[in-house]
């Protein structure tokens, strides 16, 4: 079994209490989140022993106690060695239950049924893609276990990785070493990406004070980890009030299976921001800014997942969260049951929506939700185009059932943008109507529908200049004939076809094409996309 560091020599009894403040020098966003994680863990320990206890109050842990105030936490050693307080604090905060990593500070004691084994196993998988990446940071307890559960009246099987130990359980040894020496180096399990400035030069390793080392260990509790395709995403909520954060931290933990996986950094950050808007913690969550960190393998370090993107948001405005909530409702993640063959189930996995991930990244970055729709590609070894419907023989990423989500998002366009989309819809309706009138049979009609869609998709996506997108739209409008939407709204549409906005016009044209639902031969169009 691995260990975090060599155990330091015994520290003397007594000593001044350890006081850690949110505004102390050297406190980074992740260390502040770790201090919030310590507050949440102290509250969980308090309520575990006395469910009706009033929060906050000093929490007895081993020989000492932990006192949480809005701006700081004080750890009193109780006149004994720090080990006699730190060891029980870590053992009670970092546990393994049913051979799955379990952090009491992440879960509300009054809602035990909301966090069953399937959800905890997916949260564990997210931890192993962010903090606990390296195999030496955790010890397996046998082979993966396939268990079957009934969730929302559906029988699903899950493959669960069993563990018997992980590095945070021995993290108190790192803090003791820092108390003895004044500063200690950390491994990646405590502070991913902030251990060594350059891997080729050992002298660039970072040393952390006892307070910083303790906060880094509890960052596993304070942060919210998600699985993403090919990696993990870490959301770092910065506490502004430790007492409130200790109470609200459990509400940030996903309590549904579909919520444990995010499409990307923006999706992860906005899902936490949406949780902060819940009625149960609205206005008293004790969280300021939120930061998202994306971990994926890189060509120069394929053996581990490195930080490849960072996203920082303050308190997200209500209208932005309204748009994101609409995307979540219309584009939910799918729970997929995997099989070796028709009989043997190997486990379920959650497949997030690529379209929702794209929309969330735009919203979290302050852009229009459709920005870049023409050029967006998925993060895969063989990237797929987001504006193209997926088939077995193409590189499209959109799924047929995501058309409804696109249509739902059209409600969140301004009037000029909606007018442009409606004018393209009207032109497409007339073009498909002419094809349906001329077709001799269903096969011919379907092939011509497919060719017509591809024609305009290539024309819009291939437009690289203002003149090209103008020409493509003018070509469609002229071929379709009289267009009432265009006649009524041409003054509103015209600014979108000027140099400043031509890329938005290109994106909107492709959004209109992908969201179009025809009235002529609708079943044939649906069959073509499927």
């Amino acid at each position: 079994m691995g260990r975090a560091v060599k155990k330091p020599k015994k520290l003397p009894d007594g000593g001044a209490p350890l006081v850690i403040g949110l505004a102390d020098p050297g406190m980074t966003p992740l260390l502040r989140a770790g201090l919030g994680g310590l507050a949440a863990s102290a509250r969980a320990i308090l309520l575990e022993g006395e469910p009706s206890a009033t929060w906050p109050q000093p929490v007895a842990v081993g020989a000492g106690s932990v006192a949480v105030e809005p701006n700081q936490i004080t750890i009193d050693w109780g006149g004994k060695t720090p080990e006699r307080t730190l060891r029980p604090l870590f053992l009670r905060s970092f546990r393994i239950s049913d051979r799955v990593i379990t952090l009491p500070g992440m879960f509300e004691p009054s809602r035990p049924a909301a966090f069953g084994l399937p959800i905890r196993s997916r949260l564990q998988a997210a931890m192993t893609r962010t903090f606990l990446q390296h195999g030496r940071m955790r010890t397996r307890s046998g082979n993966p276990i396939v268990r079957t559960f009934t969730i929302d009246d559906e029988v699903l099987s899950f493959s669960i990785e069993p563990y018997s130990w992980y590095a945070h359980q021995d993290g108190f040894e790192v803090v003791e070493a820092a108390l003895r020496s004044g500063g200690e180096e950390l491994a990646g399990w405590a502070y991913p990406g902030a251990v060594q400035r350059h891997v080729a030069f050992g002298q660039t390793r970072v040393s952390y004070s006892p307070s910083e080392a303790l906060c880094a260990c509890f960052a596993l509790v304070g942060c919210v980890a998600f699985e993403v395709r090919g990696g993990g995403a870490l959301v770092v909520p910065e506490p502004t009030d430790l007492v409130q954060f200790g109470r609200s931290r459990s509400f940030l933990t996903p309590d549904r299976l579909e919520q444990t996986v995010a499409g990307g950094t923006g999706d992860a950050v906005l899902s936490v921001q949406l949780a902060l808007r819940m009625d149960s913690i609205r206005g008293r969550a004790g969280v300021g800014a939120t930061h998202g960190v994306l971990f994926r393998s890189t060509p120069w370090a394929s053996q581990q997942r490195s930080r490849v993107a960072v996203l920082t948001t303050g308190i997200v405005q209500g209208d932005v969260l309204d748009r994101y909530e609409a995307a979540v409702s219309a584009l939910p993640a799918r729970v997929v049951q995997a099989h070796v063959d028709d009989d043997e189930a190997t486990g379920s996995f959650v497949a997030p929506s690529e379209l929702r991930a794209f929309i969330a990244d735009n919203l979290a970055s302050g852009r229009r939700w459709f920005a870049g729709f023409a050029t967006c590609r998925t993060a895969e070894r063989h990237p797929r185009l987001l504006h193209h419907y997926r088939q077995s023989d193409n590189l499209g990423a959109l799924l047929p059932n995501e058309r409804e989500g696109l249509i739902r998002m059209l409600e969140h366009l301004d009037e000029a943008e909606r007018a442009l989309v409606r004018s393209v819809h009207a032109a497409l309706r007339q073009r498909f109507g002419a094809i349906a009138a001329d077709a001799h049979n269903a096969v011919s009609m379907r092939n011509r529908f497919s060719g017509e869609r591809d024609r305009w998709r290539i024309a819009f996506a291939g437009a690289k200049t203002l003149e090209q997108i103008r020409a493509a739209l003018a070509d469609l409008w002229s071929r379709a004939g009289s267009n009432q939407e265009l006649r009524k709204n041409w003054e509103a549409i015209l600014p979108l076809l000027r140099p400043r906005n031509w890329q938005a016009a290109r994106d909107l044209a492709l959004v209109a094409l992908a969201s179009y639902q025809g009235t002529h031969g609708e079943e044939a169009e649906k069959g073509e996309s499927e």
Side-chain angles (χ1 to χ4, degrees):
M1 181 182 297
R3 286 293 183 266
V5 294
K6 283 187 177 181
K7 188 174 181 180
K9 293 182 180 179
K10 185 177 179 180
L11 292 166
D13 291 348
L18 183 64
V19 182
I20 314 172
L22 283 173
D24 286 356
M27 291 293 284
T28 64
L30 186 133
L31 295 180
R32 292 190 186 97
L35 191 58
L38 175 57
S41 298
R43 177 176 179 269
I45 293 172
L46 172 67
L47 297 183
E48 182 181 48
E50 190 178 349
S52 59
T54 302
W55 172 257
Q57 62 174 277
V59 182
V61 182
S65 63
V66 178
V68 179
E69 301 174 59
N71 296 316
Q72 67 180 27
I73 292 180
T74 302
I75 302 180
D76 191 300
W77 310 121
K80 305 295 182 181
T81 61
E83 179 186 9
R84 296 185 60 179
T85 300
L86 291 174
R87 179 187 287 270
L89 174 63
F90 274 73
L91 292 180
R92 297 181 69 178
S93 300
F94 302 101
R95 305 180 189 178
I96 291 178
S97 177
D98 298 321
R99 293 197 281 179
V100 171
I101 295 173
T102 303
L103 310 174
M106 289 173 52
F107 307 114
E108 182 62 30
S110 62
R111 299 188 298 151
F115 304 101
L117 189 57
I119 291 179
R120 288 192 288 118
S121 70
R122 299 328 308 159
L123 295 175
Q124 172 183 268
M127 295 177 201
T128 60
R129 295 184 177 207
T130 51
F131 284 99
L132 299 168
Q133 293 186 38
H134 201 284
R136 288 185 294 180
M137 300 174 182
R138 56 192 192 273
T139 301
R140 285 188 178 179
S141 177
N143 296 321
I145 304 168
V146 177
R147 298 275 299 275
T148 301
F149 301 89
T150 301
I151 300 175
D152 295 334
D153 298 326
E154 184 177 1
V155 178
L156 299 170
S157 62
F158 294 89
S159 179
I160 300 172
E161 294 282 351
Y163 289 104
S164 60
W165 173 87
Y166 56 104
H168 290 75
Q169 292 183 304
D170 291 341
F172 62 89
E173 297 179 357
V174 178
V175 182
E176 289 177 29
L179 286 168
R180 175 173 168 73
S181 63
E184 188 68 17
E185 296 175 353
L186 297 178
W189 59 263
Y191 204 143
V195 174
Q196 188 168 335
R197 293 184 177 89
H198 197 294
V199 294
F201 302 98
Q203 63 269 31
T204 63
R205 290 185 65 85
V206 182
S207 179
Y208 291 87
S209 69
S211 299
E212 294 166 349
L214 181 63
C215 291
C217 291
F218 277 87
L220 184 67
V221 182
C223 298
V224 188
F226 297 85
E227 291 183 87
V228 300
R229 183 189 296 274
L234 194 65
V235 178
V236 183
E238 275 199 81
T240 56
D241 186 312
L242 293 169
V243 172
Q244 292 184 352
F245 186 85
R247 185 183 294 111
S248 63
R249 168 61 187 90
S250 62
F251 292 95
L252 307 184
T253 304
D255 58 2
R256 292 186 59 84
L257 199 62
E258 310 88 75
Q259 298 171 350
T260 60
V261 176
T265 321
D267 195 17
V269 169
L270 289 183
S271 68
V272 171
Q273 287 281 352
L274 196 60
L276 291 172
R277 199 170 68 163
M278 293 171 54
D279 290 339
S280 52
I281 59 173
R282 186 193 298 267
R284 51 188 181 87
V287 177
T290 50
H291 311 268
V293 184
L294 182 63
F295 292 85
R296 280 204 174 107
S297 298
T298 58
W300 57 88
S302 59
Q303 74 280 7
Q304 65 179 1
R305 297 178 178 91
S306 306
R307 295 191 299 177
V308 297
V310 176
L311 174 67
T312 296
T313 65
I315 299 299
V316 179
Q317 297 300 313
D319 59 337
V320 175
L321 283 179
D322 289 340
R323 297 187 187 100
Y324 174 71
E325 191 170 19
V328 170
S329 175
L331 301 164
R334 298 173 296 122
V335 180
V336 181
Q337 180 71 69
H339 294 80
V340 173
D341 50 41
D342 293 337
D343 300 321
E344 185 179 354
T346 60
S348 301
F349 63 92
V350 180
S353 166
E354 294 286 357
L355 177 59
R356 174 175 137 188
F358 162 77
I359 293 171
D361 281 340
N362 275 330
L363 293 176
S365 301
R367 299 187 293 264
R368 302 293 289 161
W369 68 260
F370 57 84
F373 188 69
T375 55
C376 180
R377 295 174 181 266
T378 59
E380 299 177 85
R381 181 173 296 179
H382 303 290
R384 293 177 174 270
L385 292 165
L386 187 60
H387 63 258
H388 196 184
Y389 279 97
R390 184 169 187 154
Q391 294 179 344
S392 59
D393 58 349
N394 69 12
L395 289 177
L398 273 182
L399 298 176
N401 58 4
E402 291 182 318
R403 179 177 291 166
E404 295 298 328
L406 263 182
I407 294 172
R408 175 83 176 272
M409 293 306 297
L410 297 182
E411 301 170 7
H412 298 279
L413 298 175
D414 63 31
E415 187 52 42
E417 294 161 350
R418 280 197 295 269
L420 177 59
V421 170
R422 288 197 304 266
S423 70
V424 173
H425 281 172
L428 290 172
R429 186 173 300 110
Q430 290 173 246
R431 289 295 300 151
F432 283 123
I435 291 172
D438 292 342
H440 299 293
N441 53 60
V443 174
S444 172
M445 182 170 62
R446 180 180 301 176
N447 290 338
R448 291 182 64 184
F449 279 162
S450 177
E452 187 74 7
R453 284 182 178 276
D454 284 342
R455 172 181 184 170
W456 299 117
R457 184 182 61 80
I458 293 170
F460 297 150
K464 305 299 185 216
T465 65
L466 168 62
E467 290 73 19
Q468 288 176 335
I469 189 60
R470 275 181 171 178
L473 284 168
D475 190 19
L476 172 62
W477 289 329
S478 64
R479 289 175 183 273
S482 178
N483 190 320
Q484 185 177 0
E485 288 289 343
L486 185 59
R487 288 203 311 270
K488 289 194 307 182
N489 300 294
W490 69 269
E491 289 180 312
I493 293 173
L494 194 58
L496 293 172
L497 299 177
R498 290 176 179 160
R500 182 178 179 181
N501 298 318
W502 73 269
Q503 289 174 316
R506 179 181 62 180
D507 294 330
L508 287 166
L510 283 164
V511 167
L513 182 62
S515 63
Y516 172 72
Q517 283 187 315
T519 57
H520 299 282
E522 187 173 352
E523 290 304 315
E525 292 177 55
K526 183 179 178 182
E528 179 270 326
S529 67
E530 289 178 345

